[in-house]
């Protein structure tokens, strides 16, 4: 019970001490009644003709100093002082703005130094160059687009040579794959290719005369630009034929 009472008293004292009203009133009371504090703590009873309590009651029992003046001071400190403080802060901001405005106005009227003028001129020239470069780039893009539009209107192919070459290579690759698939399905063509490859690798002539291969099979390879006849009387694979053999060797007809 004593512990609870102590906690309650501590809580009340803490609230009073931390309260702005109580703290301000206490400060005001001590200022107005400083003689009571001084007499209580620093004056010995030997120096007065009676005890301290009677002396204080007799000399300092003034209701105005004890109650009304401290209350009035508290009211002023809590209400009027903040308005004055805010007003002073507002005035300081106004003076600061006035100072900055005057400073900027004066700086606007000041002439640039030679170094500042050279630096500013360099920045202007660099900006003009960047603008001209950007403008020229955009004009080139516009001219290119106009050329493409004109070619489209005239029905011309606007693809580049690189794209055309790439398309032609893709077409040739597809033809080789189609021939490869046909050889897998046709044993006669497959066997003919083996015979041709033996003659080509050995450098033998007389492929058409030895009867090792059907003339129609030989014509198929020649007409599809897989095989060509040399001046020495032998045959050799074309680039297209070499690609066919490469696919065959890689896949082994699997």
């Amino acid at each position: 019970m004593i512990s609870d009472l102590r906690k309650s008293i501590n809580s009340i004292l803490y609230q009073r001490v931390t309260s702005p009203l109580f703290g301000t009133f206490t400060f005001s009371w001590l200022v107005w009644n400083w003689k009571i504090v001084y007499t209580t703590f620093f004056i010995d009873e030997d120096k007065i003709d009676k005890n301290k309590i009677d002396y204080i009651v007799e000399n300092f029992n003034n209701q105005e100093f004890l109650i009304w003046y401290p209350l009035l001071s508290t009211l002023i400190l809590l209400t009027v002082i903040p308005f004055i403080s805010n007003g002073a802060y507002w005035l300081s901001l106004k003076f600061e703005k006035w100072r900055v405005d005057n400073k900027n106005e004066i700086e606007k009227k000041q002439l640039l130094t030679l170094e500042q003028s050279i630096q500013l001129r360099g920045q202007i020239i660099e900006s003009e160059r960047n603008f001209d470069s950007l403008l020229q780039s955009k004009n080139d893009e516009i001219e290119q687009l106009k050329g493409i539009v004109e070619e489209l209107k005239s029905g011309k192919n606007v693809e580049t040579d690189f794209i055309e070459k790439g398309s032609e290579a893709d077409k040739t690759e597809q033809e080789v794959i189609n021939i490869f698939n046909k050889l897998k399905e046709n044993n006669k063509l497959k066997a003919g290719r083996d015979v041709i490859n033996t003659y080509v690798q050995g450098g033998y002539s007389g492929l058409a005369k030895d009867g090792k291969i059907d003339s129609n099979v030989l014509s198929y390879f020649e007409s599809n630009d897989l095989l060509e006849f040399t001046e020495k009387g032998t045959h050799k694979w074309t680039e297209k034929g070499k690609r066919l053999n490469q696919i065959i060797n890689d896949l082994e007809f699997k």
Side-chain angles (χ1 to χ4, degrees), residues 8-209:
S8 178
I9 294 174
N10 290 335
S11 176
I12 293 172
L13 292 176
Y14 178 78
Q15 292 177 1
R16 294 295 183 270
V17 172
T18 57
S19 172
L21 177 61
F22 184 81
T24 305
F25 180 79
T26 302
F27 174 77
S28 299
W29 191 92
L30 292 175
V31 171
W32 286 105
N33 298 279
W34 65 272
K35 293 181 180 180
I36 296 176
V37 178
Y38 180 78
T39 301
T40 301
F41 293 102
F42 301 104
I43 299 297
D44 294 332
E45 289 186 353
D46 297 339
K47 296 182 179 181
I48 57 179
D49 56 357
K50 59 184 67 176
N51 62 61
K52 288 186 179 181
I53 295 177
D54 294 336
Y55 180 81
I56 291 173
V57 171
E58 182 179 344
N59 292 277
F60 305 116
N61 188 14
N62 190 330
Q63 192 174 19
E64 293 179 351
F65 281 88
L66 292 175
I67 299 175
W68 299 115
Y69 288 167
L71 283 177
L72 182 61
S73 300
T74 301
L75 180 64
I76 293 174
L77 290 174
L78 293 178
T79 57
V80 178
I81 297 299
F83 283 103
I84 296 175
S85 177
N86 290 335
Y89 180 68
W90 179 80
L91 286 175
S92 67
L93 292 178
K94 285 292 184 181
F95 280 112
E96 180 65 20
K97 183 178 182 301
W98 177 73
R99 184 186 66 80
V100 173
D101 291 341
N102 288 339
K103 179 176 178 293
N104 293 335
E105 188 66 25
I106 294 173
E107 289 179 350
K108 289 179 181 178
K109 296 179 181 180
Q110 288 180 343
L111 296 177
L112 296 176
T113 63
L114 179 60
E115 292 78 6
Q116 291 174 335
S117 300
I118 295 174
Q119 184 179 4
L120 180 60
R121 180 59 179 169
Q123 293 176 353
I124 294 174
I125 293 175
E126 184 65 23
S127 299
E128 291 177 348
R129 289 176 180 173
N130 294 335
F131 177 77
D132 292 340
S133 177
L134 179 61
L135 183 61
Q136 183 62 38
S137 176
K138 295 300 180 183
N139 289 334
D140 293 341
E141 291 181 5
I142 292 173
E143 292 299 326
Q144 291 179 0
L145 292 174
K146 287 182 178 179
I148 293 175
V149 171
E150 292 298 327
E151 290 182 355
L152 288 174
K153 289 181 178 179
S154 61
K156 295 181 179 179
N157 187 3
V158 296
E159 294 181 346
T160 62
D161 293 340
F162 176 78
I163 296 176
E164 290 176 354
K165 291 178 181 179
S167 299
E168 186 65 27
D170 292 340
K171 181 179 178 181
T172 301
E173 183 71 12
Q174 186 61 46
E175 290 177 355
V176 172
I177 293 174
N178 292 336
I179 294 172
F180 170 76
N181 292 328
K182 191 168 184 178
L183 261 63
K184 288 200 302 182
E185 298 173 356
N186 192 317
N187 292 328
K188 191 175 182 179
L189 291 176
K190 177 184 175 183
R193 177 261 170 193
D194 294 338
V195 173
I196 294 173
N197 198 43
T198 300
Y199 272 77
V200 170
Q201 291 182 355
Y204 305 134
S205 59
L207 178 61
K209 297 178 181 180

Side-chain angles (χ1 to χ4, degrees), residues 235-250:
H235 285 82
K236 69 175 184 177
W237 294 111
T238 63
E239 293 299 324
K240 191 174 179 180
K242 292 178 181 179
R243 177 57 183 154
L244 175 63
N245 289 324
Q246 182 182 359
I247 295 175
I248 292 173
N249 293 333
D250 291 341

